[in-house]
Amino acid sequence: MVTFYTKLKIVLFIAMFYSSSLMAQNYFSALGEHNLSINHNVSGIYKYNFSISTRHYIYNNETTNVHIRQLDFKHFSTYSLSLDNSISLGLQYRNRDWFEHSNNEVRITQQFNTITKLRALRFGHRFRAEQRITNQKTTHRFRYRFAVDFPLNGEQLDIGEAYIVATNEALYSVARATKPELDYRITTQLGWLYSKNLKLQFGLEYRFEGFNIEKNQKLHILTSGVIKI
């Protein structure tokens, strides 16, 4: 049986990783990211998701500099292949030119997701291919994410209880006439099942962006709400 103390050790290990990452950084910025998602199950094999999110700088270039960076609108359609396997198609529009001198982006995503369970633990493997389209270039990005989530009390998540979601993800981007880019992200979020149709989450994501080129590092402070209709 997975005990509370075992779960606590996992959380402490992740926190220690964050601390060592922060101490080792060279080029660092901190951002806030807020997301609202609406999920709807159309049938037993098809569901869709709409979300809107915003991202703003908190700290950048060794100065505190709070300003909005972008606004994202996303849609995902997901088809279940079996109880634990699914495929998805996503479409995203990212607006940046309202807030800074930068390019807007259209993103098309293809995804395969598989889940396995071990008592209270749920493990997820997600594979994504993305086409990031701007008026300057098209970037092809390939992503693999490993995730684990579990309730903090018992082996089943009940209304009013909290849970942990922890992920790590590797990303590889290629575009014409540019050097391939490697990214890595690690994320930990604390969630709360407020009701049958509402989840609230808060967490941190640490990003190593282009670590084979510039060694950029970013800390994202995450808040999100997930509504089921």
Side-chain angles (χ1 to χ4, degrees), residues 17-74:
F17 183 93
Y18 274 128
S19 299
S20 62
S21 297
L22 286 168
M23 293 175 63
Q25 55 81 21
N26 294 316
Y27 304 98
F28 176 73
S29 59
L31 303 94
E33 187 165 339
H34 314 289
N35 183 78
L36 179 64
S37 297
I38 297 176
N39 299 336
H40 180 61
N41 292 331
V42 178
S43 66
I45 63 170
Y46 172 63
K47 61 183 179 181
Y48 63 78
N49 164 275
F50 288 101
S51 67
I52 182 172
S53 61
T54 182
R55 185 180 300 171
H56 61 90
Y57 278 110
I58 300 172
Y59 177 88
N60 190 35
N61 293 328
E62 300 184 349
T63 60
T64 301
N65 186 8
V66 180
H67 69 273
I68 297 175
R69 188 184 191 197
Q70 66 195 42
L71 189 63
D72 288 305
F73 302 90
K74 306 174 188 176

Side-chain angles (χ1 to χ4, degrees), residues 69-84:
R69 188 184 191 197
Q70 66 195 42
L71 189 63
D72 288 305
F73 302 90
K74 306 174 188 176
H75 166 74
F76 267 90
S77 286
T78 299
Y79 294 88
S80 297
L81 302 176
S82 65
L83 186 62
D84 299 320

Side-chain angles (χ1 to χ4, degrees), residues 75-141:
H75 166 74
F76 267 90
S77 286
T78 299
Y79 294 88
S80 297
L81 302 176
S82 65
L83 186 62
D84 299 320
N85 301 293
S86 65
I87 56 174
S88 302
L89 181 65
L91 181 63
Q92 175 179 342
Y93 174 69
R94 169 169 292 173
N95 186 290
R96 279 186 173 168
D97 65 6
W98 285 358
F99 313 105
E100 63 181 30
H101 184 66
S102 187
N103 292 311
N104 296 335
E105 177 184 324
V106 173
R107 185 181 306 181
I108 303 170
T109 302
Q110 304 84 44
Q111 174 179 297
F112 172 75
N113 193 68
T114 182
I115 296 172
T116 57
K117 297 179 181 179
L118 178 62
R119 295 187 180 273
L121 295 174
R122 186 172 65 166
F123 303 97
H125 301 272
R126 190 182 75 182
F127 303 85
R128 277 186 174 180
E130 298 175 332
Q131 298 80 50
R132 305 181 62 182
I133 305 167
T134 68
N135 59 6
Q136 293 184 335
K137 63 179 180 179
T138 297
T139 301
H140 297 271
R141 186 162 70 175

Side-chain angles (χ1 to χ4, degrees), residues 142-174:
F142 305 93
R143 308 169 59 166
Y144 165 70
R145 189 190 74 176
F146 173 73
V148 59
D149 66 79
F150 52 84
L152 289 179
N153 298 296
E155 296 189 3
Q156 181 177 332
L157 182 63
D158 298 314
I159 293 175
E161 293 184 347
Y163 59 93
I164 287 286
V165 182
T167 71
N168 65 85
E169 184 174 24
L171 305 90
Y172 178 72
S173 301
V174 291

